[in-house]
Amino acid sequence: MTGAAGPGIRLDAPAPGWAIDADVVVVGSGVAGLTAALRCAAAGHRTVVVTKARLDDGSTRWAQGGIAAAIGEGDTPEQHLDDTLVAGAGLCDEEAVRTLVTEGPGAVRRLIAAGARFDAGEDGEGIALAREGGHHRRRIAHAGGDATGAEISRALVEAVRSQGLRTIENALVLDLLTDAEGRTAGVTLHVMGEGQHDGVGAVHAPAVVLATGGMGQVFSATTNPSVSTGDGVALALRAGAEVSDLEFVQFHPTVLYLGPEAEGQQPLISEAVRGEGAHLVDRDGERFMVGQHELAELAPRDIVAKGIMRRAQEQGTEHVYLDARHFGAEMWERRFPTILAACRSHGIDPVTEPIPVAPAAHYASGGVRTDLRGRTTVPGLYACGEVACTGVHGANRLASNSLLEGLVFAERIADDIGTRPLPRPGEPRLPDGPPVPLLPPEARFEVQRLMTAGVGVLRSAASMAESFKGLVRLASRASAESSGEDKAAEPGVEAWEATNLLLVARALAAGARAREETRGCHWREDHPERNDEVWRRHSVVTFRPPHTVEFRATDSADFPATHPETEPNP
């Protein structure tokens, strides 16, 4: 795998020691990845699923609230569209949202047909529907009370195993392979531990679907699992793909506050708890969201997160409280058993005391830019789920639209792959230029500290400039070490993850520094107002050899086409 390559660069890793062939390789095993894999396999394509841990270890398993779709009596896709556009603060691609809400009900029914079991209504008939922030109707289907993601993951994993799809677990994807023309030809990956394959290898395929989930681990505190290190976004950037709107990181308003030193994955207190009537109160017991928005605690997440931060700052505290004592023990145990157990495991009993909560990094509204068929700007490379930027979420994701987006756009990708002959790429090649210098594993915590301090919920030019300098310093140090001035980091999973996090952090910070306004979940203290005249447009970030992050803004709120032969999303 040597010779000329496309525009990308690569991680410092050993040459692949083994390879397998496929038609489609899907990277990720959440709702988006497994849906795409199952449909590609059903169309007769040799499909391989690559996942970083076990099949059921991705972000989907942690989704508590549910999946939004206009399936209730009196609800319509048009109403769902309106709520989504409002939450997206002027940056949603309306055609992408219309695709989501019109195809969503059918996608949910197909998920049920695949074996997913949602909670039934009180009379035992139909599907129980809940309400969450930003929704004017009850349209959230849930399972196991607050274990929706776990049930969806169970159903899809069982379908994958029953159909005998080839899977490679405990495998960190490294880089995209391309042919001499720059077309996708597969991926390289590192399999951790013993198994049929071990060490660095490759899957050769003309179609690669990125469904790697989020990048929450770029911050110190997040609801994301430890595997969410932005690997898909980093791979796409190195391959020359465009990423968009990374600055719009949704901080979930109500995450269990475990103290100022808490790091890594934190327990989420689902928005569905507020949907059932829990109140946000400050240290004096006052409901501070009343009067700030017509929906009070059920306002869109960016508004609630800002309200929490403002009140905490006013009172000199680091958290507020979620009070649901009026639920009673029976409702807590029936409707929210997972959350109840998580709180109690940390010494808090929601039945008898308010829950301390604070915002934490939760969901990336931006990601690898795609069109309505999931195609990125690199031929043969697709993306769906949280790793993608389809235009659905705009500046702020509407609650419980994420699982639906994964379903709908995974199906659209599989349909696109299935409706055209798969090209036969040339010899799979890695870029032959110098690889990206690796960060030492311990630098991961420095990246997280810098991002949390300067590019977290509250942002300003001063805070981000300080963080950006630190990120550049880390990159420069890695370059110096790789050139032999100091001892270089050894290739390995922890160094690759830290290096991915640094690249994602630099791309995110570039967009956040450039966007001089407050919009959705991007909150600038020094630019507190929304500026539609200048900034009702998308950010686009690319990574150019040798190690340069480049930013530009689109000409309007419309996305340009991802491929010359296609029109932009309307």
Side-chain angles (χ1 to χ4, degrees):
M1 295 181 197
T2 59
I9 55 178
R10 62 183 175 87
L11 285 170
D12 186 1
W18 53 269
I20 60 175
D21 293 323
D23 297 320
V24 182
V25 55
V26 177
V27 187
S29 60
V31 61
L34 295 188
T35 298
L38 286 164
R39 287 179 72 92
C40 284
H45 295 303
R46 296 174 301 161
T47 303
V48 174
V49 177
V50 173
T51 188
K52 194 171 180 181
R54 298 190 307 274
L55 277 181
D56 62 352
D57 265 351
S59 294
T60 292
R61 183 164 66 92
W62 298 96
Q64 295 174 343
I67 184 167
I71 56 177
E73 184 176 354
D75 199 3
T76 65
E78 200 68 26
Q79 294 176 67
H80 190 181
L81 179 141
D82 289 344
D83 285 345
T84 301
L85 294 180
V86 169
L91 275 191
C92 293
D93 182 314
E94 186 167 340
E95 187 63 22
V97 178
R98 193 171 297 281
T99 298
L100 178 84
V101 299
T102 55
E103 297 182 11
V108 170
R109 294 186 184 99
R110 285 187 288 276
L111 182 62
I112 294 170
R117 298 187 291 267
F118 291 99
D119 294 343
E122 291 186 3
D123 58 0
E125 300 294 327
I127 297 175
L129 297 176
R131 186 179 169 200
E132 295 183 4
H135 293 271
H136 283 80
R137 282 189 173 273
R138 286 182 170 265
R139 63 168 66 98
I140 317 299
H142 51 82
D146 58 358
T148 310
E151 170 57 19
I152 290 173
S153 181
R154 179 205 62 78
L156 292 174
V157 169
E158 284 190 7
V160 164
R161 288 177 173 156
S162 68
Q163 294 183 30
L165 267 68
R166 186 166 190 173
T167 61
I168 303 176
E169 296 180 288
N170 302 306
L172 170 64
V173 67
L174 299 175
D175 282 303
L176 189 73
L177 293 167
T178 58
D179 63 16
E181 304 301 318
R183 169 168 283 282
T184 292
V187 292
T188 57
L189 62 156
H190 175 80
V191 180
M192 299 166 272
E194 297 180 1
Q196 184 178 359
H197 301 291
D198 199 6
V200 175
V203 181
H204 297 161
V208 171
V209 181
L210 293 180
T212 50
M215 55 187 191
Q217 291 291 328
V218 79
F219 295 97
S220 297
T222 178
T223 62
N224 290 189
S226 60
V227 294
S228 297
T229 51
D231 307 317
V233 171
L235 175 149
L237 281 167
R238 287 193 298 271
E242 295 179 356
V243 303
S244 284
D245 299 344
L246 282 188
E247 64 269 30
F248 296 115
V249 177
Q250 187 176 82
F251 288 79
H252 197 288
T254 52
V255 175
L256 183 62
Y257 180 74
L258 299 178
E261 302 303 318
E263 293 182 337
Q265 186 178 12
Q266 314 288 302
L268 173 66
I269 310 299
S270 170
E271 197 153 313
V273 177
R274 281 174 281 141
E276 296 295 345
H279 302 143
L280 282 167
V281 298
D282 61 18
R283 69 181 182 188
D284 300 323
E286 180 184 346
R287 284 184 65 190
F288 56 89
M289 285 303 299
V290 174
Q292 290 197 36
H293 190 276
E294 61 165 333
L295 296 177
E297 286 92 350
L298 286 177
R301 289 178 177 177
D302 63 307
I303 294 172
V304 179
K306 293 169 189 174
I308 289 172
M309 294 297 294
R310 285 194 186 102
R311 184 52 58 98
Q313 284 183 329
E314 290 168 2
Q315 297 191 329
T317 64
E318 294 183 330
H319 65 86
V320 296
Y321 295 92
L322 188 64
D323 192 351
R325 290 175 289 180
H326 54 285
F327 284 7
E330 189 276 333
M331 180 175 173
W332 266 110
E333 292 166 359
R334 171 181 54 82
R335 180 69 175 86
F336 302 111
T338 308
I339 297 171
L340 179 63
C343 288
R344 285 176 169 171
S345 71
H346 290 283
I348 298 158
D349 189 349
V351 177
T352 60
E353 60 186 317
I355 306 167
V357 294
H362 181 56
Y363 189 88
S365 293
V368 185
R369 189 167 76 81
T370 74
D371 63 12
L372 296 184
R373 289 183 274 177
R375 302 189 301 172
T376 74
T377 52
V378 175
L381 179 64
Y382 296 80
C384 56
E386 190 174 354
V387 71
C389 181
T390 62
V392 159
H393 304 307
N396 185 40
R397 174 180 68 99
L398 181 65
S400 288
N401 268 356
S402 52
L403 292 175
L404 190 70
E405 184 199 33
L407 269 182
V408 168
F409 285 88
E411 290 188 346
R412 292 179 72 84
I413 286 172
D415 290 346
D416 187 72
I417 292 172
T419 55
R420 63 183 71 198
L422 284 172
R424 303 297 356 149
E427 173 79 13
R429 305 171 183 218
L430 278 168
D432 58 359
V436 178
L438 296 181
L439 284 189
E442 60 271 17
R444 172 179 183 147
F445 304 106
E446 179 67 6
V447 172
Q448 293 171 331
R449 186 192 67 77
L450 288 166
M451 292 298 289
T452 299
V455 202
V457 180
L458 301 177
R459 299 169 179 174
S460 68
S463 74
M464 291 190 290
E466 192 64 27
S467 294
F468 200 78
K469 282 194 298 185
L471 297 174
V472 171
R473 187 169 57 249
L474 284 174
S476 298
R477 187 189 311 163
S479 294
E481 291 168 350
S482 69
S483 65
E485 296 177 27
D486 295 295
K487 184 178 179 181
E490 293 292 329
V493 172
E494 292 181 342
W496 291 323
E497 285 185 332
T499 304
N500 283 342
L501 284 172
L502 177 60
L503 178 52
V504 169
R506 291 178 64 196
L508 194 165
R513 291 181 77 193
R515 185 174 290 276
E516 294 182 335
E517 66 161 354
T518 289
R519 182 188 297 272
C521 49
H522 172 64
W523 186 8
R524 288 284 297 259
E525 293 180 286
D526 52 345
H527 295 281
E529 303 300 325
R530 175 170 150 177
N531 186 346
D532 278 352
E533 183 178 349
V534 176
W535 281 110
R536 190 165 178 258
R537 59 193 65 203
H538 302 278
S539 63
V540 178
V541 174
T542 50
F543 191 41
R544 301 299 183 196
H547 311 299
T548 302
V549 172
E550 294 183 352
F551 168 88
R552 67 178 174 87
T554 59
D555 295 331
S556 70
D558 295 333
F559 274 125
T562 56
H563 291 279
E565 73 274 15
T566 64
E567 293 298 320
N569 291 358

